[in-house]
Amino acid sequence: HHATQRRQVGRRTDQAVARHLARGDGFLCDIAYPLSFAWPFARALPQPLVHRPPGWPVALLVPYAAVGGDTHRLPGAVRALQVLVLAIIAGLGTAAWVRRGRIGAAAAWLVPLAACPLLPYAVDWGHTELPAAALLLSVWLRYRDGLRTPGAIDGLLTGLLALLRPELAWLPPVWWLWLAHRPRADRRRTLRGAWLAMLVVLALTGPWLVRNARLAGNPFFSVQAAAEVAKDTRTWPGYEVYRQLEPQPAWHLLRDDPLPVARKTARGLRFFARELPGLVPWALPVLLLAGALAGRRSGLRRR
């Protein structure tokens, strides 16, 4: 119940920002976590967007324009956008297997994907997981398809990922460094390509970081992050924290009292161990294992 409540608040937040963007008001939001009023620059409504990154509200301009700004039809248009992104994910994975001549593996990739009971949740909740997955898969497939030197395209994909889910944007640079240290790699050329990609990332994310630095004094500021770090309630997930806690820097918590962080991590692991079988039936891992075996046996040629 709490997770659904939080997700609904987040979804309305992004849609509210999209409405302001469509009206030319900038990154403003009419929906606020009470915790955000602890900062002087966010004590009036509409607030500047300080809850989350800007990427998804910008993407929502597409369904917002498609329904002509009709807020009653907007949720359906967002679901249609998520279905399209899911189709892109399925197509990217299938095309990658087909390029390798692994038709059986392509079928085995689609079967568990279509059978996963979590897909309706991903589509109906309408948030950043699916587009972030599509971007990560695109970067990963470029690496898997034999990319030797990262470049501007990889920087573009990573920059878009950073504007959607900043906590995932470290993965592509790790792959680029791995490329540079592989046997027989042209290290100098690979590192030059990685620097080019990082410059593209900075060009995409730089304006938002500068805006946050001017607004909050911290280019990486996020009310959401402050609340999630501080949250150490006995119940999971403890949505009430947004109504009652004062903000505290994450490094203060880790330095002065790491035990609550360890307890919260342990509770999270227990929660997933207890709840995951109810969300993902055991038949799905069996299908995934069968798909992996089919992929290994279906190669028409080896590279």
Side-chain angles (χ1 to χ4, degrees):
H1 169 74
H2 287 302
T4 300
Q5 185 180 19
R6 288 176 57 199
R7 184 54 63 101
Q8 288 173 347
V9 170
R11 185 168 55 193
R12 289 195 297 268
T13 298
D14 290 324
Q15 293 177 7
V17 178
R19 286 195 298 272
H20 279 289
L21 287 174
R23 297 167 185 167
D25 302 332
F27 288 95
L28 297 177
C29 183
D30 304 309
I31 300 171
Y33 295 114
L35 180 64
S36 63
F37 294 107
W39 287 274
F41 54 82
R43 287 177 180 165
L45 289 177
Q47 288 182 341
L49 179 62
V50 290
H51 311 80
R52 58 192 72 239
W56 190 234
V58 172
L60 291 183
L61 287 175
V62 175
Y64 188 86
V67 298
D70 186 339
T71 55
H72 296 290
R73 296 165 56 199
L74 182 58
V78 174
R79 283 194 294 270
L81 175 63
Q82 294 282 35
V83 171
L84 175 61
V85 175
L86 184 59
I88 291 173
I89 292 173
L92 285 171
T94 303
W97 284 120
V98 171
R99 283 196 302 273
R100 296 185 181 96
R102 310 281 285 274
I103 306 301
W109 145 261
L110 288 173
V111 168
L113 184 67
C116 180
L118 296 180
L119 290 186
Y121 293 99
V123 171
D124 286 340
W125 285 12
H127 225 56
T128 57
E129 287 81 1
L130 286 180
L135 291 169
L136 268 179
L137 181 60
S138 299
V139 179
W140 173 249
L141 288 178
R142 283 175 57 78
Y143 162 70
R144 292 298 299 167
D145 282 347
L147 174 72
R148 295 292 177 181
T149 304
I153 293 178
D154 304 274
L156 173 65
L157 295 171
T158 304
L160 293 176
L161 178 65
L163 293 174
L164 277 173
R165 298 293 292 262
E167 72 278 11
L168 299 176
W170 61 273
L171 282 168
V174 168
W175 297 336
W176 304 337
L177 291 175
W178 176 257
L179 285 173
H181 290 85
R182 291 198 308 180
R184 298 187 298 277
D186 186 341
R187 185 170 303 180
R188 182 174 298 180
R189 182 181 177 187
T190 302
L191 290 177
R192 281 202 306 265
W195 278 112
L196 172 61
M198 289 305 300
L199 286 175
V200 175
V201 173
L202 184 60
L204 284 173
T205 60
W208 185 252
L209 298 179
V210 170
R211 175 259 193 190
N212 286 345
R214 294 180 61 184
L215 179 70
N218 178 359
F220 306 103
F221 179 82
S222 169
V223 170
Q224 185 83 12
E228 293 293 341
V229 170
K231 184 172 63 181
D232 185 45
T233 54
R234 287 293 175 183
T235 57
W236 177 268
Y239 177 75
E240 291 77 9
V241 69
Y242 294 100
R243 304 188 180 97
Q244 67 191 23
L245 285 189
E246 291 296 322
Q248 57 178 310
W251 66 274
H252 282 183
L253 182 65
L254 294 172
R255 180 197 63 189
D256 300 334
D257 196 5
L259 185 59
V261 178
R263 287 203 309 264
K264 178 181 175 181
T265 302
R267 286 200 307 274
L269 293 174
R270 288 198 301 269
F271 169 79
F272 281 109
R274 184 176 66 248
E275 299 294 332
L276 191 59
L279 294 172
V280 181
W282 291 115
L284 187 60
V286 173
L287 285 173
L288 289 171
L289 177 61
L293 293 176
R296 290 188 64 83
R297 296 179 61 86
S298 67
L300 301 180
R301 62 180 182 272
R302 293 188 180 275
R303 296 183 181 179

